[in-house]
């Protein structure tokens, strides 16, 4: 999550949706924000306490956290935005990220299909310890009643175009969007990782995202 009081925006960072690049592009805008240094000090104090003093909006906090913590008039005045990603593509990205950086979480399931069946097994409790990609993306964007509380939802699939639109709405010149944490260990087409049964696993687990965000397994016309 990235908050700028000066520029009146709140970026909700859903993992693996291009958010690291968005944060990097917008970070320099915060340095001129008069609230930056007090927020930085609070962030460091939170880190030193093991995040037990609740003075920091976590990197991947949900929009509802900011709504609960910020004064109502402050939250309402912010331009709140996020980026989302096709759930089938996101799971492929998640698999390669875990295999590359936290292979111990593969739990012996070394290929994508086996890992996905284990991760999304409806007979087992959700494996939330693996990574945040098992959560619904829409949960990051709604309040406790299920109402959407962000102003703009961009798409990973058109990241640069939608980032430019977000900056226009904020009222700033769009900075160059760097390519941060760009993976090079996977193919471009996520569909080749799936068979009918694994594609259906994702369809069932992320049904709310697919319906609300308008995604399909095969995006071609």
């Amino acid at each position: 999550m990235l908050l700028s009081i000066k520029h009146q925006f709140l970026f909700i960072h859903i993992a693996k949706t291009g958010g690291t690049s968005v944060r990097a592009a917008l970070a320099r805008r915060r340095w001129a924000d008069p609230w930056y240094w007090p927020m930085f000090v609070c962030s460091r104090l939170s880190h030193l306490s093991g995040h037990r003093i609740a003075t920091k909006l976590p990197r991947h906090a949900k929009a509802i956290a900011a709504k609960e913590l910020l004064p109502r008039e402050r939250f309402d005045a912010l331009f709140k935005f996020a980026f989302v990603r096709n759930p089938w593509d996101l799971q492929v990205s998640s698999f390669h990220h875990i295999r590359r950086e936290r292979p111990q979480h593969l739990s012996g399931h070394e290929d994508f299909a086996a890992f996905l069946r284990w991760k999304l097994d409806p007979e087992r409790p959700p494996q939330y310890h693996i990574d945040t990609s098992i959560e619904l993306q829409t949960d990051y964007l709604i309040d406790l009643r299920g109402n959407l509380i962000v102003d703009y939802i961009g798409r990973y699939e058109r990241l640069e175009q939608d980032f430019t639109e977000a900056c226009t709405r904020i009222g700033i010149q769009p900075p160059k969007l760097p390519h941060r944490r760009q993976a090079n260990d996977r193919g471009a087409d996520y569909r080749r990782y799936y068979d009918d049964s694994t594609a259906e696993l994702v369809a069932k687990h992320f049904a709310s995202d697919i319906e609300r965000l308008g995604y399909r397994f095969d995006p071609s016309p």
Side-chain angles (χ1 to χ4, degrees), residues 14-15 38 70 94 104-105 116 144 155-156 169 200:
I14 303 173
L70 295 172
S94 168
Q104 70 275 15
H105 288 310
L116 192 66
L144 298 177
R155 306 278 173 154
Y156 174 84
R169 297 200 188 190
E200 183 62 20

Side-chain angles (χ1 to χ4, degrees), residues 4 24 64 80 84 123 137 147 156 159 162 181 183 195 199 220:
S4 173
I64 186 63
K80 300 166 284 290
V84 296
E123 301 299 321
Q137 295 176 74
N147 300 311
Y156 174 84
L159 182 61
D162 287 359
R181 306 191 71 177
D195 57 27
S220 60

